[in-house]
Amino acid sequence: MSVTGTLREIGLFPVKSTRGLFPPSAPVGPDGLDGDRAFAVLDAAGDVLAAKRHPALARLTPVPSPAGPRLAVPGDVPLEDFLGVPGAVVGPVPGGARQVAAVHVVTVRQRAAAGAGDTSRANLVLDLPGPDEPPAGDWVGRGLRVGAVHLEVVAVPRHCGGAFARVRTPGTVRVGDVAELLPAGPG
């Protein structure tokens, strides 16, 4: 049985471990939402910094620019001073900084569930009203259509709610698009 709802929110995270942007629409390519986690804060050696070890990253907001995102740093101090990391800069990450799959999807119900963990960094938040929403583990192997985009659910996160998906058919998603979790099997 398919389950139908709507796309409630789009989350785009241009710089890994920093705050997100929440546009009304976003192009989705074979590797996920265009520009999502394509950049990271790098130390002087070129290693990617993560919020687990550098929690101040979560206070930074990306600002889009033609040359790639820059970060709005509180007090307009240099990034390396704010983080306490010499040589810290925003730079591209070849292949992106995603950890599991191209797209992280979560539903409103999954996000509100006890023990859901931090789902604030999901790319797509779906509203699947009614009692028919299956547990996220039952999504694996199923297709998910959001507007013109077709995803395939491939895994569930270990530390937060929702599901991870790969892109089968690219396109553009828009808040308000119909979202349909397809029945198991070919889709």
Side-chain angles (χ1 to χ4, degrees):
M1 170 170 82
S2 68
V3 180
T4 304
T6 58
L7 177 59
R8 166 83 62 92
E9 180 180 274
I10 299 168
L12 179 64
F13 304 89
V15 182
K16 178 181 171 44
S17 294
T18 65
R19 292 180 176 163
L21 305 174
F22 301 92
S25 65
V28 180
D31 296 323
L33 279 70
D34 286 358
D36 185 56
R37 296 173 178 93
F39 291 81
V41 177
L42 310 172
D43 64 16
D47 294 325
V48 173
L49 303 183
K52 242 180 207 178
R53 297 193 68 193
H54 302 279
L57 286 167
R59 294 178 40 212
L60 300 174
T61 302
V63 178
S65 77
R70 62 178 187 75
L71 293 172
V73 179
D76 287 326
V77 299
L79 180 60
E80 64 182 335
D81 294 342
F82 178 76
L83 295 173
V85 177
V89 296
V90 175
V93 178
R98 291 177 196 89
Q99 294 180 340
V100 178
V103 180
H104 181 192
V105 182
V106 68
T107 68
V108 171
R109 187 174 296 145
Q110 291 165 349
R111 187 175 255 185
D118 181 9
T119 60
S120 65
R121 301 184 65 71
N123 296 118
L124 304 177
V125 179
L126 309 179
D127 191 0
L128 300 178
D132 297 330
E133 179 183 324
D138 293 350
W139 291 35
V140 176
R142 295 175 73 169
L144 175 64
R145 286 198 183 106
V146 182
V149 174
H150 189 184
L151 306 170
E152 178 183 358
V153 180
V154 295
V156 292
R158 290 181 298 173
H159 304 294
C160 62
F164 290 122
R166 70 178 175 204
V167 179
R168 291 179 65 186
T169 306
T172 297
V173 292
R174 293 171 180 79
V175 171
D177 276 351
V178 171
E180 181 182 15
L181 180 62
L182 302 172

